[in-house]
Amino acid sequence: MESHAEFLRVETLDSALSEAIKRDWRTAPGLSARELAILTYVEKLTRHAYKMVAEDLDALRDVGLDDTGILQVNLIASWFNYINRVADGLGVGKAERAVGHATMTP
């Protein structure tokens, strides 16, 4: 979460927004209806992918995303979910527990 918040801070140049989203995106000030819909979709995809229904896609269409945009949101979120699970599963960021740590350090 720390690295994602830092990427957001760098991208937006807005530390307050980055911190507010990190705390709870639902209460972060200034997010558009489109951004909130995307975050709602991404959270559900991340936490409960097996519960996704057509209405989840409709909510994104309602804020102006077309099928290409929806696919892009889905692929980006899914890729981060995948790579975070790979990193967590190998202990990346927890140097003393990382698989292959001895070979990764100089």
Side-chain angles (χ1 to χ4, degrees):
M1 183 59 105
E2 291 296 324
S3 64
H4 297 165
E6 179 59 14
F7 286 132
L8 180 61
R9 188 194 64 73
V10 169
E11 183 67 28
T12 63
L13 302 176
D14 189 336
S15 296
L17 176 63
S18 175
E19 284 301 315
I21 290 174
K22 181 178 159 188
R23 256 189 323 276
D24 184 354
W25 60 267
R26 292 168 208 79
T27 60
L31 294 179
S32 68
R34 183 180 175 127
E35 291 165 330
L36 290 171
I38 290 170
L39 289 169
T40 299
Y41 174 86
V42 167
E43 181 177 59
K44 186 174 180 181
L45 180 64
T46 299
R47 294 180 185 261
H48 309 289
Y50 62 97
K51 292 182 178 178
M52 301 304 285
V53 293
E55 289 77 13
D56 296 314
L57 304 177
D58 292 340
L60 295 175
R61 290 186 182 103
D62 289 346
V63 293
L65 270 74
D66 61 12
D67 287 349
T68 300
I70 292 169
L71 179 61
Q72 289 173 334
V73 168
N74 180 289
L75 290 174
I76 292 167
S78 296
W79 187 84
F80 273 98
N81 287 330
Y82 161 76
I83 203 66
N84 286 335
R85 283 166 177 77
V86 169
D88 289 345
L90 297 176
V92 174
K94 299 172 183 138
E96 69 280 354
R97 294 179 24 202
V99 171
H101 173 69
T103 59
M104 292 190 297
T105 54

